[in-house]
Amino acid sequence: MRVPAITAALPSGAARKPILLMTLGAFALGTDAFVISGVLPSVGQSLGVSLETAGLLITVFAGVYALCAPFLAVATGSLDRDRVLKIALGGFVAANVLAAVAPDYTVLMVARVLAALSAALFMPAASASAAAVAVPEERGRALTTVLGGLTLASALGVPIGTVVGHAANWRATFVLVAVLSLIALVGLSRALPPTPTTHIPSLRDRARAATLPGIPTILLGSMLTYCSMFTLYAYIPWFAEHTAGIGEGGVTWVYLLYGLCGVLSNMAAGWLIDTYPPRRVAILASVLMAVVLGLLALFAWAGPSGTVVSGVLLYVLIALWGLIGWVINPAQQKRLITTAGPRGPVALSLNGSAVYAGQAVGGLAGGIALSHGATWLMGVAVALQLLAILVICLSARTRTATTPAAGPTASAPAASGEEAKR
């Protein structure tokens, strides 16, 4: 009974194979974006740099993605989407091969920049291609499948990549990502038909959407939320070792637990934002996340390192963090759709840049706080989350004051199905 159910959730006919290959590409991209945090201590030791300096590899990747994604989308707007996908995957393979053989930190940083540029090209093109090759009634299914690759990357790709990195070395992790990307590239070269470009919003369109009433504060709230999350996420191995005595073997389970709880949270988020006002969901989830981060700060301050009790407590708190944290972004996305109205798709494309900008700043903030200890690290995360709550509450008030009659437009469901997942 399960196999037919899984099959029914996938696009049918000739679209299935290319969409599954794009899903594999998204899985490789998501794994590469996040797995480096799991092997960050090994990278620093191998290349002779501090953990804080190694953490800049995360910051630069996310920062380049956030800044360059809108410009790359406009610059490649005249190219067919299948060609853009091949260019992006080719660059991604090259970036990960270069990372695997990098003789020093500088070369590895160059590889991360190339990987970020390739990732910024791939995801919008994959979303557009999935919608183009699927029949109209299965476009939502196609988009969900492709973006499911990112979700699976967090739940399974990062733990698997971390295991590979610890079993062999961190270079093997990049080899794994390069192989997965190469399989997707070769497969799409054969299976994906020519896919003409669709309308790409100009930089002026994006700027106009970013200045709509209520939109700037919603985007800022999303950015600050990810600032808070990545202050800790970028340095989970260090935090787990210094607070609970969990070493390389155990930290893989930390990532797996966080990822699986995140998947469950993401599934529940859809029901929550369809049942309750998304601004209430965003505020409540943000407050609960501040509470969990506060408990993690208290744990870092008072937790008895290296005991069974400390290990269990850390796993429980990480699970709560994963269950709560992944609710916020879907709620913020629906708020963007509701507030921006016809310009919702463009506003949602800006949300991706806001999220990656938050990851970049959060990784940088965590690296700075790291030298002061685990309590300081969590203190910064809590402070950023409290600021996120303030901004999200202000954005809710701004929406009520400026667009009291705003509601989902006729185009909102379609926009949510396509752009919210880019």
Side-chain angles (χ1 to χ4, degrees):
M1 293 295 293
R2 292 182 181 179
V3 173
I6 294 174
T7 303
L10 299 174
S12 61
R16 178 174 296 176
K17 185 174 181 180
I19 286 173
L20 287 177
L21 288 166
M22 284 184 272
T23 303
L24 176 61
F27 177 82
L29 183 152
T31 300
D32 185 61
F34 302 128
V35 75
I36 194 170
S37 64
V39 295
L40 203 59
S42 300
V43 172
Q45 293 172 7
S46 174
L47 300 180
V49 298
S50 66
L51 185 60
E52 296 91 331
T53 302
L56 291 175
L57 295 166
I58 298 174
T59 296
V60 169
F61 180 98
V64 169
Y65 190 111
L67 291 173
C68 295
F71 296 97
L72 288 173
V74 174
T76 60
S78 61
L79 299 178
D80 288 351
R81 296 299 90 188
D82 58 303
R83 185 177 178 185
V84 173
L85 282 176
K86 294 170 187 176
I87 293 172
L89 284 173
F92 206 65
V93 171
N96 281 279
V97 170
L98 181 60
V101 301
D104 53 41
Y105 177 79
T106 301
V107 175
L108 183 56
M109 180 64 78
V110 171
R112 297 305 291 163
V113 170
L114 177 58
L117 292 172
S118 301
L121 269 179
F122 179 83
M123 287 312 303
S127 297
S129 298
V133 300
V135 295
E137 60 269 22
E138 293 183 351
R139 283 176 181 166
R141 193 181 307 175
L143 290 161
T144 301
T145 301
V146 171
L147 273 297
L150 293 177
T151 305
L152 285 175
S154 179
L156 298 176
V158 173
I160 291 172
T162 303
V163 168
V164 170
H166 291 160
N169 59 57
W170 61 270
R171 298 179 187 275
T173 300
F174 291 109
V175 172
L176 172 64
V177 174
V179 170
L180 293 175
S181 305
L182 183 61
I183 293 172
L185 173 60
V186 173
L188 285 173
S189 297
R190 298 178 177 180
L192 184 64
T195 309
T197 186
T198 55
H199 172 68
I200 304 296
S202 66
L203 293 177
R204 180 177 296 180
D205 292 334
R206 297 170 195 268
R208 287 174 178 170
T211 57
L212 290 172
I215 297 300
T217 47
I218 295 176
L219 293 175
L220 181 59
S222 295
M223 190 193 80
L224 288 170
T225 297
Y226 276 83
C227 281
S228 174
M229 292 178 67
F230 262 73
T231 297
L232 173 59
Y233 188 88
Y235 300 100
I236 282 180
W238 181 91
F239 184 83
E241 182 179 358
H242 283 75
T243 59
I246 296 176
E248 291 184 349
V251 79
T252 302
W253 294 102
V254 174
Y255 279 110
L256 180 62
L257 179 63
Y258 176 81
L260 291 176
C261 287
V263 172
L264 293 175
S265 174
N266 201 46
M267 294 169 62
W271 176 81
L272 285 171
I273 62 179
D274 284 340
T275 306
Y276 302 99
R279 64 182 182 278
R280 292 184 186 176
V281 175
I283 292 172
L284 179 59
S286 297
V287 171
L288 290 175
M289 194 167 85
V291 172
V292 173
L293 292 175
L295 291 174
L296 280 165
L298 183 63
F299 171 77
W301 175 71
S305 178
T307 67
V308 174
V309 173
S310 65
V312 172
L313 281 174
L314 180 61
Y315 283 123
V316 170
L317 291 173
I318 290 293
L320 290 174
W321 182 38
L323 286 170
I324 295 168
W326 283 39
V327 173
I328 301 173
N329 195 43
Q332 289 287 86
Q333 289 176 334
K334 188 164 184 179
R335 293 183 66 209
L336 284 171
I337 282 290
T338 304
T339 304
R343 291 184 178 173
V346 183
L348 282 172
S349 71
L350 296 173
N351 189 64
S353 291
V355 165
Y356 275 93
Q359 293 175 11
V361 176
L364 182 61
I368 294 172
L370 205 62
S371 59
H372 300 286
T375 305
W376 269 87
L377 180 73
M378 291 312 307
V380 171
V382 171
L384 287 168
Q385 184 57 31
L386 291 175
L387 187 57
I389 293 171
L390 175 61
V391 172
I392 290 173
C393 289
L394 288 174
S395 69
R397 291 184 62 186
T398 300
R399 179 186 177 276
T400 301
T402 58
T403 55
T409 64
S411 63
S416 179
E418 296 182 19
E419 290 289 344
K421 301 181 179 67
R422 292 192 185 184

